Structure formats: structure tokens, C-alpha cells
Amino acid sequence: DGGYKKLPRYHQYFGIKAAQEHVRRREGGIIWHTQGSGKSIVMVMLAKWILENNPNARVAILTDRTELDKQIERVFNDAGEPLVRTSSGSELMEQLSHPAPRLLCSLIHKFGKKDVENFEKFIEELRNGPNQTVGEIFVFVDECHRTQSGKLHKVMKAMLHNAVFIGFTGTPLLKSDKQTSLEVFGKYIHTYKFNEAVQDE
């Protein structure tokens, strides 16, 4: 990581091992690791494993804040895994329609379309004429509880209908968020809760 050699802590190691089993089955899910426990490093290691072990795989990392998008880019670059940061939704879909790059990041709001009066009609159009993406796409969604409950997720699922979605969060899920997040992504892949982090100091 920027010249420093890092090893995963046990929750990162077992989280990645659990995620690998989901990826092999092409199943999504949620990695719930408490704030400050190194989710970015988990993303790097999991993405690296996916790309090294599946020649057809592509990994797209989506965040909902510019500072997170920049942080993800920095962490991957520092780990020697350069990724392409797209500047618009059309650019992201354009990149995914070609075999390279295999590793991308983007802001999730780029999946939203401004001033769409009839949103359901827009979704239906996307579903009926899905964008032709190349490869097996794995989508990592950072802070998945914040953006994935409503329309944005519908757009993403319509545009990337064959993708496997893995959500990452460290924020306690409110009952409504929890239900929606579980419906959207599937069950928990791995958890590392506050009390465990406190015990580990």
C-alpha cells in the first residue's frame, strides 16, 4: 500500500474467503465490516483475486460520494492495481461495452438520469434494450445502505442485468435499510461488528 507491505487482519481474511465462495457461485451479498476496519483493502484484495482467477471477469466499484471515489482510486493505485475512473454514466457503459479496462470505478449517481418524467418507462426501456456489456461483471457498491434502496438500484440492475452485486457497509442498518439491502443484495457474506472491533481494540 504505497510502498508499505500490509497483511489482512483476520476479519479481512475470512471476509475475503467467504466472498470468494459467493463469487464462485456467482452470488451477491453484503460484507458488513464496522467503520474504520479497512473495507477498501478488502475490495482491493477481492478484486485482485477475481481478476487473477477469472480471465473474463470485470470489476466495477461504485460509490456515492466524490471523496470516496477518489479514495478508492488512490487505494487501488497505491496497491499497484490501477483502475479507470469514469466521468459519466455514458462513459462507464461505453467502457463496459469493451473488453478493457477490467477494473473501473464510478459514482453511483451517474446511473440516475436527470429529469426523467416517467421513471418506470425509462427502466422498462433499459430492460428491453440492455446495454451490451463484455465479460462477467462484478459490481462492488460502497456504503450500499445509502443508495441502493430505490430508483438508482433499479437503473443499475436494468443496465447491468447479468452482473453480480456485492455491497459493502460499516454503518448499522436501520430496520428499513436492512430489509431493503438484504432484498437487493442477498444475505450477509461476512460481518465484523462494533463489539468485535472494540474487543480487538
Side-chain angles (χ1 to χ4, degrees):
D1 183 9
Y4 293 93
K5 188 162 187 172
K6 290 187 176 179
L7 299 174
R9 288 176 63 88
Y10 75 90
H11 67 277
Q12 294 170 315
Y13 175 83
F14 287 112
I16 291 162
K17 285 296 174 191
Q20 287 172 352
E21 290 305 310
H22 275 69
V23 166
R24 284 191 184 102
R25 298 193 301 267
R26 290 193 58 78
E27 270 179 31
I30 298 173
I31 293 178
W32 196 108
H33 284 182
T34 191
Q35 289 163 312
S37 63
K39 286 188 293 298
S40 297
I41 298 294
V42 172
M43 286 187 187
V44 170
M45 291 178 168
L46 183 57
K48 189 174 170 60
W49 179 83
I50 289 172
L51 295 174
E52 284 177 357
N53 287 278
N54 181 343
N56 296 317
R58 319 273 303 279
V59 176
I61 298 151
L62 304 178
T63 57
D64 69 338
R65 292 183 182 170
T66 304
E67 60 268 28
L68 282 174
D69 197 37
K70 288 178 179 172
Q71 178 192 330
I72 292 288
E73 182 183 36
R74 186 176 65 250
V75 169
F76 272 83
N77 282 331
D78 285 350
E81 295 292 327
L83 77 173
V84 172
R85 194 164 158 236
T86 62
S87 58
S88 68
S90 58
E91 186 190 348
L92 179 64
M93 295 313 296
E94 169 68 20
Q95 297 277 14
L96 289 174
S97 71
H98 301 293
R102 297 181 68 205
L103 186 57
L104 309 96
C105 68
S106 182
L107 284 169
I108 203 163
H109 296 114
K110 294 174 182 155
F111 278 92
K113 189 173 179 182
K114 290 178 183 172
D115 307 321
V116 177
E117 289 177 15
N118 187 339
F119 191 83
E120 294 306 321
K121 185 169 181 279
F122 173 58
I123 296 291
E124 196 57 37
E125 286 170 4
L126 286 175
R127 284 204 185 102
N128 291 335
N131 292 270
Q132 294 302 309
T133 55
V134 175
E136 294 176 39
I137 297 173
F138 295 86
V139 180
F140 295 0
V141 182
D142 197 18
E143 301 299 347
C144 64
H145 64 285
R146 282 207 293 250
T147 53
Q148 289 298 294
S149 55
K151 293 181 175 180
L152 282 169
H153 188 81
K154 284 186 177 179
V155 176
M156 258 183 18
K157 279 279 173 98
M159 293 175 93
L160 301 171
H161 58 292
N162 290 325
V164 173
F165 289 87
I166 299 176
F168 291 78
T169 187
T171 304
L173 297 177
L174 302 173
K175 278 189 176 176
S176 57
D177 287 341
K178 182 176 180 180
Q179 189 56 38
T180 310
S181 295
L182 290 173
E183 284 170 2
V184 164
F185 288 96
K187 59 190 178 186
Y188 288 113
I189 293 171
H190 191 260
T191 62
Y192 181 62
K193 302 285 180 62
F194 287 123
N195 60 322
E196 295 171 277
V198 170
Q199 284 169 10
D200 292 337
E201 300 182 357

